[in-house]
Amino acid sequence: MSVPPGSIIVSDWHRFPDSREFFSRILHNKKRRKFGLLEAPMMPPHMNVDIVRYKVFISGKTGVGKSALAARLAGLDFPKMHYETTGIETTVVFWPVRLKESGRVLFFRFELWDCGESAIRRFDHMLPSCKEQVDAILFLFSFTDRGSFDDLSNQITRITESSDRVVKLVVGTKFDLFMHTDVTESDVTHFQEVWGLPIFRVGGDVSAGLGEIAPLLNALAENLWHQDCMAASSVSISTPAALRETDSEIIV
């Protein structure tokens, strides 16, 4: 079961004046900055902020919009024409959050892994590579493709096991094409009741503002932080696992 929204972090913090200095670190000329694998936001000395790192695998059938979602979450442009990812592509997303209880600010670094369905079928090492040391999995379906929704159960059981310590969230893409939807609200409600997993809705506009992606990124941050806190308390460790990998040096 996922953590109730807003129970750990301030869910609408990106709208507060005191968040601007932190969110400005992931923006350039009012647009999102692109970060490479070895880059991180530049922090002035007075901002004592920890960066916590997580690996996130994006799973779904061909054409549901896995690469488009990665681009959307990172604020990057994406070609209008669809093409299948030929191997594994990674995208780095930084997202600042404020913890509700302590008021502490953390920068979450999500490394999104996207792999084409054909590549996973052709090469045995692709899926294990994506799953290796993964912290969260986003299971995607398209609101315009009923088959991708019906395949969700198979996706979840094929890729994960009940014993896996991994955050699982479901994302419905192309929600803005509601005139062509093949998945009803009753379908969504029934799935959430059966699986106990929240479903997030996203459209196809990569240029949308922070408010459009905040619910999903906040849910990822909240559930991953909660998972690490639970793991830390179970083994009597005061600091969650992610913080043990906190960057000691920021690379610009």
Side-chain angles (χ1 to χ4, degrees), residues 9 16 26 37 43 49 60 83 205 207 212 237 240:
I9 68 174
F16 286 42
I26 63 172
L37 289 175
M43 303 292 183
V49 180
Y83 68 92
D205 183 9
S207 63
E212 301 298 319
I237 299 176

Side-chain angles (χ1 to χ4, degrees), residues 20 29-30 47 64 80 96 103 110 153 158 179 223:
R20 290 173 187 168
N29 293 332
K30 297 184 179 180
M47 292 177 67
V64 296
K80 298 297 182 182
F110 301 118
S153 300
R158 179 171 59 91
M179 294 294 291
N223 281 276

Side-chain angles (χ1 to χ4, degrees), residues 165 225-241 244:
R165 193 178 72 88
W225 188 252
H226 174 74
Q227 176 176 265
D228 270 356
C229 287
M230 291 299 97
S233 62
S234 67
V235 292
S236 300
I237 299 176
S238 60
T239 304
R244 296 200 296 276

Side-chain angles (χ1 to χ4, degrees), residues 191-251:
F191 177 89
Q192 291 181 126
E193 290 174 348
V194 171
W195 284 91
L197 297 175
I199 292 182
F200 295 86
R201 300 160 175 81
V202 298
D205 183 9
V206 174
S207 63
L210 297 178
E212 301 298 319
I213 59 171
L216 178 54
L217 289 177
N218 282 336
L220 260 179
E222 199 153 35
N223 281 276
L224 285 165
W225 188 252
H226 174 74
Q227 176 176 265
D228 270 356
C229 287
M230 291 299 97
S233 62
S234 67
V235 292
S236 300
I237 299 176
S238 60
T239 304
L243 274 186
R244 296 200 296 276
E245 299 180 6
T246 297
D247 295 340
S248 58
E249 181 177 346
I250 303 300
I251 302 174

Side-chain angles (χ1 to χ4, degrees), residues 81-222:
M81 185 177 297
H82 169 263
Y83 68 92
E84 184 173 5
T85 304
T86 55
I88 296 174
E89 293 184 358
T90 58
T91 305
V92 174
V93 176
F94 282 93
W95 187 252
V97 305
R98 182 181 290 280
L99 299 180
K100 205 168 187 178
E101 186 173 339
S102 65
R104 179 183 181 187
V105 176
L106 298 172
F107 257 89
F108 279 75
R109 180 191 184 276
F110 301 118
E111 189 172 300
L112 308 179
W113 284 50
D114 164 31
C115 186
E117 188 179 24
S118 296
I120 288 178
R121 290 178 176 175
R122 288 179 59 194
F123 305 106
D124 294 339
H125 69 281
M126 288 291 192
L127 184 57
S129 295
C130 292
K131 289 179 58 180
E132 184 179 10
Q133 295 184 324
V134 72
D135 300 295
I137 301 178
L138 300 180
F139 295 97
L140 268 60
F141 73 94
S142 168
F143 274 97
T144 63
D145 180 359
R146 177 73 196 196
S148 65
F149 179 78
D150 293 336
D151 187 56
L152 279 176
S153 300
N154 176 57
Q155 270 196 71
I156 296 170
T157 55
R158 179 171 59 91
I159 294 177
T160 63
E161 299 178 6
S162 57
S163 59
D164 289 344
R165 193 178 72 88
V166 59
V167 168
K168 297 186 284 287
L169 300 176
V170 179
V171 181
T173 63
K174 305 179 184 179
F175 184 65
D176 52 337
L177 304 177
F178 59 89
M179 294 294 291
H180 307 282
T181 184
D182 290 332
V183 181
T184 67
E185 284 301 313
S186 61
D187 293 329
V188 170
T189 300
H190 178 70
F191 177 89
Q192 291 181 126
E193 290 174 348
V194 171
W195 284 91
L197 297 175
I199 292 182
F200 295 86
R201 300 160 175 81
V202 298
D205 183 9
V206 174
S207 63
L210 297 178
E212 301 298 319
I213 59 171
L216 178 54
L217 289 177
N218 282 336
L220 260 179
E222 199 153 35

